[in-house]
Each structure stands twice: as structure tokens, then as C-alpha cells.
Amino acid sequence: MSRRTFLKQSSCASLGILLSPLYSNAFSFSNNKDVIIGHNSHQYKVNMNWGNLDPLTTPVKDCHEMVQDSKGRIVLLTNHTKNNIIIYDKSGKLLETWGTDFPGGHGLTLCKENGEDFLLITDYERHQIIKTTIDGKIVFEIDYPKDTGKYNSKEEFKPTETTILENGDFYVADGYGNQYITHYNHKGELLNIFGGRGTNDSEFLNAHGICYDNRDKNNPSLLISAREMNILKRFSLDGKYLSSIEVPGALICRPVIHKKDIYFAVLKSKKAPNSDSGFLLIMDENNQVVSCPGATAPTYNNSNLEELYQTIRLFQYPHDVCIDEDENVYVAQWNSGQTYPIKLTRI
């Protein structure tokens, strides 16, 4: 082992990071002892201490998702019912907490109406979608879509994510239930249902995340992750299947669009020997993977993406990302020993 390799591994060990033999493709260690991950133009300095709080007073369980509100604050959803919502400033300072009624709090989407912020929360244990004000007042609750005939009971409906259009319409992904996508107007009235469990193009295995893609103003669409299939699927707004993007080896959570790029937390690597084998994935406007912080460098062979896998034991089941106006990335993690989010500072 070279001295340079030894120093890299020693410094990572001090941060609790374990490296695979191929770590060098996704990791560098600078003279100022910053841990740098990522590839090409999307590289980041790791901050493991961002947002750490006193677990006795402000505990977390699974840190499922994060969004940034109109004030620039970072809003975290955890399913710990002592404080389901934790609101930070960008430095990681605690600003406020609220929420004790979301034991299956999973999906978090920011809505903006007439200059006011609202939240859409999916709770798979309550089998509901809940709309709240930014400070926690309930606006409405939506139960399982019984009238569609696709569900025999509420227990079959376990929603994981929502996304919202400019006109207030929103879509719900039932990623832990019967795998349908439901479309509602701004009042919460059902307009459409499509998808369902299966391996056909228009179906899903773990329709975990959904987002509205309006980067092409003339052809807006929906991006829906079929996590167990390692596929990102594109649908029209009326529910017609359009295309698929394969991401071999990557169990992708929800797509998050920031400017022209799509960001994902990858829960785990499909063929990794350790189950907590996640990383991040960044895709450009041409649907090409350009960076995988914590994983192998994205490589294409005859236009086909080679299988991706974790190279650094940095992330433990990363579940969502939030990108701020400075291109920094905040990473929420599921089943990670009740750890707080990690911040990646863009370099």
C-alpha cells in the first residue's frame, strides 16, 4: 500500500468511512483534509456535522425527505413522532419543529399558492396524503382512492410521494402499495389513475418517487422511479407511458430536478454485498449520468450505462436529496441509526 493510499484510508476511517478497493474512482482527499466525492463538474466536500442535534430533545428516526421553502430554510421530514418536521437554516441551525401525528411520514413536497408555502405529506401507515401549512396546520387529508376499484381496503394504499403542477393539480405515487399513480386537482378531487403493479412499460415495481418535469416548456411530463427495476420512467400528464431510462445497479428514490439536472438518492446498490450500499446519482438534461458521489464513475459502453455500485461506505440508505441555490446537496437517510442529514458543499 502506498503512503498516499494509506493516508486516504486513514483519514476516511477517522470519519467512519469504509472504502472498497475501487474507491479511487469516486473519492479524493485534499491537503486541507476535506473529503471530496463525485465526478466531473459535480464534486462535493462532505460535511458530516451539518444539522446534528441533541437526540434527547430533537430525535429523528428515518429521515425520509427534505425540501427548501421560500425563505431558504431546509425542511426535513422524519417519522419520529416527537417531531415529524424539523426546520433548519442553511448552516444547520435548528429553527423550529412540529408534528407528532405522522408515524409513516415518507413523502414531502413543497406547494406554493398565492405567495404562501404549503406541504404535501404522504404517510404510508396512515394510508393518507395530508396537506399542511408550513407551520403544521392541516388543510385537508385524502384517503385511499376507493372509488377507482383498484383497492379493496385502505391497507393496500401506502403512498410514498407526490408532485405538483403550476395549476395546483398533484399526483400521488403509491410506491409501497398497489403501485398506482393517482391524479388530483387542487381541491383533492380525483381526476385519473394509471400504472399498477407489473413489469410492463406502463407498470411499476416500487413506484417510489415522482416529479413534474417542466424543463421542456412545450412538453412537460412526469418522471417516476421504478426503484426495484432500476428504471426511471417518463409519462405524459394524462398518464400515457412515453419512455424509460435504465440506471443499472441503482435503486433510485425520487427524482429531484434542479435547473437542468436530475438528482437522486440511491437507496442501495443492487449487487453490493452490504445492504447499506447507497450513493447519489446526477443526470443531465440529455439523460446522461454525469456524477455518482459515493459510487463508481459513470461509464457508457456503446451508449449503455455500465452497472453502478457503491465504492465508499459513506452513505447508509440515502433516501432523498435537496439542492439549494448554491448547488449544495443535503442528504436525508433511511434506517441509518437515527443519524441527521449530511451536507455536500459544491466545489
Side-chain angles (χ1 to χ4, degrees), residues 176 205-206 208 225-230 250-253 267 319:
Y176 291 162
L205 296 179
N206 195 193
H208 189 271
S225 55
R227 192 167 72 180
E228 292 298 326
M229 304 167 79
N230 303 161
L251 276 74
I252 52 174
C253 297
L267 188 75
H319 193 272

Side-chain angles (χ1 to χ4, degrees), residues 63-300:
C63 293
H64 273 132
E65 295 200 344
M66 304 176 78
V67 296
Q68 187 176 26
D69 71 7
S70 297
K71 296 179 180 179
R73 306 180 305 172
I74 306 299
V75 183
L76 168 69
L77 174 68
T78 171
N79 53 9
H80 198 299
T81 53
K82 185 172 182 177
N83 39 240
N84 287 122
I85 295 290
I86 299 174
I87 301 179
Y88 296 96
D89 68 12
K90 289 194 298 181
S91 73
K93 177 184 176 182
L94 176 66
L95 298 177
E96 63 179 282
T97 66
W98 58 263
T100 59
D101 299 319
F102 307 114
H106 186 281
L108 185 68
T109 300
L110 184 72
C111 317
K112 299 181 181 181
E113 298 177 10
N114 300 317
E116 186 177 356
D117 285 354
F118 296 87
L119 298 172
L120 284 176
I121 297 171
T122 62
D123 190 310
Y124 58 80
E125 289 196 15
R126 288 176 50 169
H127 313 286
Q128 286 183 320
I129 304 99
I130 304 98
K131 182 178 181 179
T132 76
T133 61
I134 196 67
D135 57 356
K137 298 180 179 66
I138 302 295
V139 177
F140 62 62
E141 299 172 350
I142 296 176
D143 296 318
Y144 79 104
K146 180 179 181 180
D147 293 343
T148 64
K150 305 294 187 182
Y151 294 84
N152 295 316
S153 67
K154 69 175 184 180
E155 284 73 23
E156 294 181 350
F157 183 61
K158 298 179 180 180
T160 50
E161 193 59 73
T162 61
T163 193
I164 189 164
L165 309 188
E166 290 96 340
N167 66 358
D169 282 14
F170 61 95
Y171 296 78
V172 180
D174 184 21
Y176 291 162
N178 287 1
Q179 309 298 309
Y180 287 99
I181 310 299
T182 43
H183 177 191
Y184 297 86
N185 66 17
H186 71 282
K187 298 178 182 179
E189 298 168 335
L190 183 66
L191 301 177
N192 190 20
I193 187 168
F194 60 94
R197 187 185 306 278
T199 56
N200 293 324
D201 285 342
S202 60
E203 298 173 325
F204 303 95
L205 296 179
N206 195 193
H208 189 271
I210 183 170
C211 81
Y212 173 51
D213 183 0
N214 65 345
R215 292 173 297 171
D216 181 350
K217 301 299 182 182
N218 296 318
N219 294 289
S221 59
L222 299 169
L223 294 175
I224 306 171
S225 55
R227 192 167 72 180
E228 292 298 326
M229 304 167 79
N230 303 161
I231 294 175
L232 179 65
K233 298 190 177 190
R234 187 180 298 277
F235 284 76
S236 66
L237 299 184
D238 60 357
K240 293 183 175 60
Y241 169 81
L242 299 176
S243 62
S244 290
I245 306 165
E246 295 187 5
V247 281
L251 276 74
I252 52 174
C253 297
R254 76 159 161 180
V256 177
I257 293 177
H258 179 76
K259 296 182 179 179
K260 294 295 185 179
D261 296 331
I262 315 172
Y263 295 71
F264 303 84
V266 177
L267 188 75
K268 58 183 178 179
S269 311
K270 189 170 186 179
K271 294 183 179 179
N274 53 300
S275 59
D276 57 338
S277 53
F279 53 92
L280 306 186
L281 186 151
I282 303 165
M283 192 180 291
D284 68 14
E285 59 188 307
N286 299 313
N287 302 325
Q288 297 289 297
V289 180
V290 294
S291 183
C292 293
T296 46
T299 303
Y300 284 85

Side-chain angles (χ1 to χ4, degrees), residues 20-87:
S20 83
L22 296 178
Y23 72 91
S24 59
N25 289 329
F27 172 83
S28 67
F29 186 67
S30 67
N31 291 332
N32 63 358
K33 300 187 178 182
D34 289 330
V35 176
I36 308 298
I37 60 174
H39 309 95
N40 303 312
S41 61
H42 290 72
Q43 297 188 42
Y44 304 88
K45 180 173 67 175
V46 178
N47 183 347
M48 299 291 290
N49 297 315
W50 185 91
N52 287 345
L53 302 171
D54 183 349
L56 297 178
T57 57
T58 316
V60 294
K61 189 177 178 186
D62 300 314
C63 293
H64 273 132
E65 295 200 344
M66 304 176 78
V67 296
Q68 187 176 26
D69 71 7
S70 297
K71 296 179 180 179
R73 306 180 305 172
I74 306 299
V75 183
L76 168 69
L77 174 68
T78 171
N79 53 9
H80 198 299
T81 53
K82 185 172 182 177
N83 39 240
N84 287 122
I85 295 290
I86 299 174
I87 301 179

